[in-house]
Amino acid sequence: MNTFDIDYTLGIFPILLKYVDITLSMAFISTAIALIIAVLIAIIKTFNTKVLSQIADVYISFFRGTPLLVQLFLLYYGLPQIFPSFSSLDAYTASILGLSLHFSAYMAEAIRGAISSIEKGQFEAAESLGMSQTQTFIYIILPQAIRVAIPSLMNNFIDLLKSTSLAFTLGVPEIMAKAQLEASSSFKYFESFLAVALVYWALVVSFGYLQKLLEKKLNKAYSK
Amino acid sequence: MKKITLAFITMLSLLFVACDSKDATSTENTKIIKVGTSGGYYPFTYFENDKLQGFEIDVWNAIGEKLNSEIEFKTSKFSGLFGMLETSKIDTISNQITMTDKRIEKYNFATPYVYDGAQIIVHNETAEISSLDDLKGKKLGVGLGTNYADIVRAYDKNNEIEIITYEGNGFQQDVKLKRIDAYIEDRTSAVEAIKKGNLPLKLVGEPIKVLVNSFPFLKNEKSSELLNDVNKAIDQLRADGTLKNISMKWFNTDITKK
């Protein structure tokens, strides 16, 4: 029986760390795009705009209702068959696109929930001060909603960060792909996958710490 | 309130910090041949310490030298390689591609550079399997997108063999753990993998089919030109003994001739 090879496991880390930037950049870019889409959808849903609101419903329903892996395959392998111009989409971009669309659906719900948690009376109060609806939204509602939404948005971000591991199925050389490739020539599966698990864990723990700091800062105005 | 917006802006800007440009555009002085390979097929094309190496890599570097071209390797999952070829993201595939009738119909192949056999591999302790016949009612692993499934299906008309497809080569692990009964892979690769991984596996019976391997190219004018060059290079490499040397280096036997 093979035993656990500690030297091999330690040797894998430097290789994985070289590709952490790909994993992180995918996570950050996707989160940024997803946030923008999510805020737009949340606004549409809050003001209940006619046709747009229905489109938003279908959008959320589809991207929450199908697995991320299926969406990635649809984008990368499926679309070029119907629209040949999509074949110029590289795996890295396709992964970012897939992650953004998928997680924007979840984030939209988180933001919408946060917006609706703000008392209606604040709208009226702002109106009586002569603020327009847009002004009220940007200066009064959104800043408060963000504070409420941070914990669930952070949850979405962590989920997204781990989901970047699916990009290896499209051939993106991120850390999961590297672990898989090293394992397939060394046959040290446990060592390789344990190493990559520890890297993800360390990343998520550090972002959890950042979240605590951020929440503390945002809550300062509310704690007397 | 200012603090909140400030924090929000900091967070957003943080999001953009790690975005870096991945594509370094290379100068177009020498011709660049883009070769797709899985990088997950020991010892033909594999990563060790993050370095792409193997028999295929050596062969292409030798071809590149003969043609005075730069070889750019693009790695992707095996099942995605043909899609990349179709969309011209790569010029050809170097991953022990067997010349099957279906593939010959669709692609122009270069002069064969490897002759090999499809081999059944089982656990050391398995005694009852030595041919395709014995696999009836058993679980057989093959790589997704490889032609081994087709070979077995052509033989197994009544679907009596349960074929399980794998991304990568998890089938070795699964036979080792006795989750499945056998797998099919090319003989040379199997021998090396068993040696390197110290796996409790063995080859049984004669190869079920001779495999002739080469590089597929799209059937269009631009590819035909490159194909001609590659063919010339392969002929030269065979004549001057380079192909044989590369084979001896990796396998201690010459798999580049019939």
Side-chain angles (χ1 to χ4, degrees), chain A residues 118-127:
Chain A
I118 311 296
E119 269 179 75
K120 285 275 177 305
Q122 299 211 9
F123 273 98
E124 289 150 23
E127 201 179 20

Side-chain angles (χ1 to χ4, degrees), chain A residues 133-149:
Chain A
Q133 212 177 28
T134 324
Q135 277 175 327
T136 311
F137 195 77
I138 292 174
Y139 296 111
I140 311 288
I141 308 296
L142 211 52
Q144 300 182 71
I146 284 165
R147 178 179 151 268
V148 178

Side-chain angles (χ1 to χ4, degrees), chain A residues 18-19 28 87 182 185 187, chain B residues 15 39 47 50 89 172-173:
Chain A
K18 265 200 282 179
Y19 293 88
F28 287 143
S87 65
E182 293 290 335
S185 72
F187 304 97
Chain B
L15 294 177
F47 280 91
D50 204 28
K89 280 180 184 141
Q172 288 155 345
Q173 186 76 350

Side-chain angles (χ1 to χ4, degrees), chain B residues 13-231:
Chain B
S13 48
L14 261 175
L15 294 177
F16 287 96
V17 166
C19 317
D20 55 345
S21 58
K22 278 276 149 254
D23 283 304
T25 40
S26 44
T27 44
E28 297 268 328
N29 287 333
T30 47
K31 210 165 118 192
I32 296 173
I33 305 176
K34 286 185 212 142
V35 178
T37 186
S38 70
Y41 192 29
Y42 181 83
F44 289 98
T45 159
Y46 68 100
F47 280 91
E48 193 169 301
N49 291 321
D50 204 28
K51 195 171 167 282
L52 182 62
Q53 48 197 310
F55 173 83
E56 305 279 323
I57 313 305
D58 284 356
V59 168
W60 267 100
N61 284 333
I63 293 175
E65 227 165 83
K66 282 268 183 261
L67 298 178
N68 205 12
S69 306
E70 197 184 314
I71 308 296
E72 187 187 331
F73 292 102
K74 292 203 161 196
T75 49
S76 161
K77 300 237 114 190
F78 181 81
S79 49
L81 289 173
F82 279 97
M84 287 169 74
L85 182 64
E86 289 290 325
T87 51
S88 293
K89 280 180 184 141
I90 49 176
D91 296 311
T92 186
I93 302 172
S94 183
N95 209 89
Q96 289 291 301
I97 304 297
T98 300
M99 297 167 67
T100 61
D101 293 342
K102 256 194 219 159
R103 287 176 184 159
I104 288 171
E105 215 172 275
K106 206 153 182 215
Y107 306 105
N108 285 329
F109 272 91
T111 317
Y113 68 111
V114 163
Y115 298 88
D116 205 348
Q119 182 72 48
I120 301 172
I121 295 111
V122 298
H123 195 282
N124 260 345
E125 293 158 13
T126 305
E128 72 276 15
I129 298 171
S130 61
S131 70
L132 273 179
D133 253 336
D134 304 329
L135 281 172
K136 285 181 180 161
K138 299 266 182 354
K139 288 181 181 170
L140 173 71
V142 296
L144 181 63
T146 62
N147 65 311
Y148 302 126
D150 292 339
I151 297 175
V152 176
R153 281 280 167 256
Y155 167 85
D156 176 35
K157 299 270 189 251
N158 302 325
N159 281 335
E160 288 169 275
I161 301 173
E162 189 181 341
I163 295 183
I164 299 157
T165 48
Y166 288 79
E167 276 278 11
N169 44 12
F171 42 72
Q172 288 155 345
Q173 186 76 350
D174 273 2
V175 172
K176 178 181 153 190
L177 298 173
K178 296 188 174 171
R179 286 180 186 148
I180 60 172
D181 302 290
Y183 70 90
I184 295 188
E185 211 183 13
D186 75 87
R187 185 175 43 94
T188 345
S189 181
V191 169
E192 294 302 317
I194 292 170
K195 221 181 347 175
K196 164 112 180 195
N198 202 8
L199 304 170
L201 308 174
K202 63 178 180 191
L203 282 63
V204 287
E206 289 296 305
I208 54 172
K209 192 169 183 177
V210 174
L211 305 172
V212 181
N213 299 343
S214 194
F215 314 114
F217 289 83
L218 288 182
K219 286 188 172 172
N220 62 33
E221 215 169 294
K222 193 180 152 240
S223 293
S224 303
E225 221 174 279
L226 180 59
L227 174 61
N228 274 334
D229 291 344
V230 170
N231 277 341

